[in-house]
Amino acid sequence: MAIITFNNIRAKARDTKRVADVKQIATALELYYSDNNSYPVIITPGNSLASPDGSTIYMAKIPSNPTPRTDGTCSNIDYGYTYLASINSYNISTCLGSPASNFNPGVVSYSPSGSFNCGQRIADADGNQYDTVEIGGQCWMKQNLNAGTMVTSVNTGSNHSNQTNDSLVEKYCYSNLSASCVTYGGLYEWQEAMALPASCVNTDCSSQIQTPHQGICPSGWHIPTDAEFNILEQYAIQTIGSSSTQFACNNSVASYRRCADDNGADSGGAKGAGKALKKVGQGSGAGAGDDLLGFSAMLGGYRAIGGSFIGSLSYATFWQSSQYAANSSWLRNFYTSYTTILRYGLNEKSSGYNVRCLKN
């Protein structure tokens, strides 16, 4: 018992040092930025952090992740650093085996804002709490958004909207049961998710889309773009390391297939981005989720344009911020047995789909 207690103390000490190291590196990076108006493209644990001409040393030796690195469910990897050139920012990532300094166990990351560290929980305007996860330099909410007031979806059989009050954030709950929202999150029409006027359900509102577009996400978070979902898919495929022929990770793939194992059919592969991003226990056959990256997609169904609810435990669909036409927008879709993520157009904005927010 004494040995176990001692080992636990040492493991917690390693986690405390990991948090301290990440913050120390971040401080040095801000000094670098102050002098050079940019962050370095690459930093290497064990080496110094110096100015491009080597005249100024901001950190004599970048610390390395203390060993053993496999505390909890962590992999045997050093601290990660990703330079985000498009926004002149960065993410530093590590993994904790146990709670430390208000971080949850698992992969956590730090960015220049300093106000939020990926791996901590965040809250929406209603006080609902969400776990977060760092995946390939992106920080995602780990659960579907559940903000807003439940409204009843009336099944008329024809295309219509029941989310029409611009003064409220409105959500559907599968089968009009509030318990469904607790488990699977709210279902939102596109214009509702984007916090745009109800008239945008059948009106061209592309001029009102911001970059990034917060919509009903918490402050500092936004509705993902097609390109951002593509980054997630590419990272999943790289992590899987599949040798199978894959659909290309781009915007012009036949039948809107995206970034997954081919093997002759959507559901034929044992791998694929969809499988890696589904929560364990979600899906079936070759497409059963293994949640390799912690995205934890839940198959909770959707609200059809006529007002009925479709596909409980068979589909998970997420809105993107890009509009396709006056009455339709883009999305990402998981199926129960498919290993792929499929990208579809021509989906009416009055459909009710889930929202996963991405950190700015």
Side-chain angles (χ1 to χ4, degrees):
M1 290 180 64
I3 292 173
I4 293 172
T5 300
F6 180 67
N7 286 339
N8 287 341
I9 292 172
R10 294 182 68 178
K12 288 183 179 295
R14 288 192 292 272
D15 283 333
T16 299
K17 185 178 188 303
R18 287 166 182 138
V19 173
D21 283 350
V22 166
K23 291 182 177 180
Q24 184 182 16
I25 295 169
T27 299
L29 287 169
E30 293 308 313
L31 295 173
Y32 182 103
Y33 181 88
S34 179
D35 288 346
N36 302 285
N37 200 34
S38 180
Y39 296 103
V41 175
I42 298 173
I43 65 172
T44 304
N47 292 351
S48 64
L49 175 59
S51 59
D53 61 6
S55 62
T56 304
I57 303 297
Y58 303 99
M59 178 174 273
K61 185 177 181 180
I62 298 171
S64 297
N65 189 359
T67 57
R69 297 168 176 169
T70 53
D71 293 317
T73 59
C74 297
S75 301
N76 185 20
I77 58 176
D78 214 330
Y79 298 133
Y81 173 80
T82 303
Y83 174 56
L84 307 174
S86 61
I87 57 174
N88 198 12
S89 185
Y90 68 83
N91 277 323
I92 308 172
S93 62
T94 186
C95 183
L96 305 178
S98 60
S101 301
N102 297 319
F103 289 89
N104 291 323
V107 176
V108 298
S109 69
Y110 190 92
S111 63
S113 66
S115 59
F116 173 80
N117 302 285
C118 199
Q120 290 181 308
R121 305 196 87 194
I122 62 167
D124 62 26
D126 296 333
N128 299 308
Q129 297 283 317
Y130 305 91
D131 294 317
T132 61
V133 59
E134 192 274 334
I135 304 175
Q138 296 177 315
C139 186
W140 290 88
M141 281 174 39
K142 198 169 180 178
Q143 291 89 26
N144 298 340
L145 192 69
N146 190 28
T149 300
M150 176 181 163
V151 296
T152 299
S153 178
V154 179
N155 185 2
T156 67
S158 58
N159 187 357
H160 72 283
S161 169
N162 291 130
Q163 295 181 351
T164 58
N165 188 339
D166 286 343
S167 65
L168 289 175
V169 175
E170 298 172 299
K171 65 183 178 184
Y172 301 121
C173 297
Y174 193 87
S175 292
N176 288 323
L177 298 173
S178 59
S180 297
C181 278
V182 175
T183 303
Y184 301 106
L187 298 172
Y188 305 91
E189 298 178 23
W190 180 80
Q191 72 283 352
E192 191 72 19
M194 296 287 284
L196 295 175
S199 59
C200 289
V201 69
N202 54 17
T203 303
D204 182 1
C205 291
S206 56
S207 63
Q208 299 182 53
I209 299 174
Q210 306 296 312
T211 305
H213 192 98
Q214 178 179 344
I216 59 173
C217 291
S219 178
W221 295 72
H222 64 274
I223 308 293
T225 64
D226 177 67
E228 288 169 331
F229 268 115
N230 201 10
I231 290 171
L232 176 68
E233 292 169 312
Q234 290 187 65
Y235 185 80
I237 291 298
Q238 292 167 4
T239 303
I240 291 166
S242 173
S243 59
S244 301
T245 301
Q246 295 159 8
F247 296 115
C249 294
N250 58 46
N251 294 328
S252 58
V253 179
S255 301
Y256 304 113
R257 296 181 178 89
R258 294 300 299 274
C259 204
D261 289 339
D262 183 352
N263 289 345
D266 292 322
S267 59
K271 299 181 180 179
K275 177 183 177 67
L277 297 171
K278 291 177 195 166
K279 190 170 184 176
V280 173
Q282 298 292 295
S284 61
D290 57 23
D291 208 11
L292 184 65
L293 304 177
F295 188 78
S296 303
M298 297 281 285
L299 303 177
Y302 64 91
R303 186 258 191 190
I305 60 175
S308 62
F309 292 96
I310 308 294
S312 177
L313 303 182
S314 297
Y315 302 93
T317 309
F318 302 100
W319 282 122
Q320 299 176 181
S321 60
S322 50
Q323 178 184 280
Y324 177 81
N327 66 346
S328 59
S329 294
W330 292 107
L331 52 87
R332 279 300 200 285
N333 198 336
F334 293 85
Y335 281 119
T336 180
S337 60
Y338 285 12
T339 61
T340 61
I341 289 181
L342 302 181
R343 173 176 178 257
Y344 287 94
L346 302 177
N347 282 267
E348 288 83 356
K349 296 174 181 177
S350 59
S351 304
Y353 296 133
N354 291 124
V355 168
R356 276 295 180 95
C357 300
L358 179 64
K359 187 179 181 295
N360 295 354

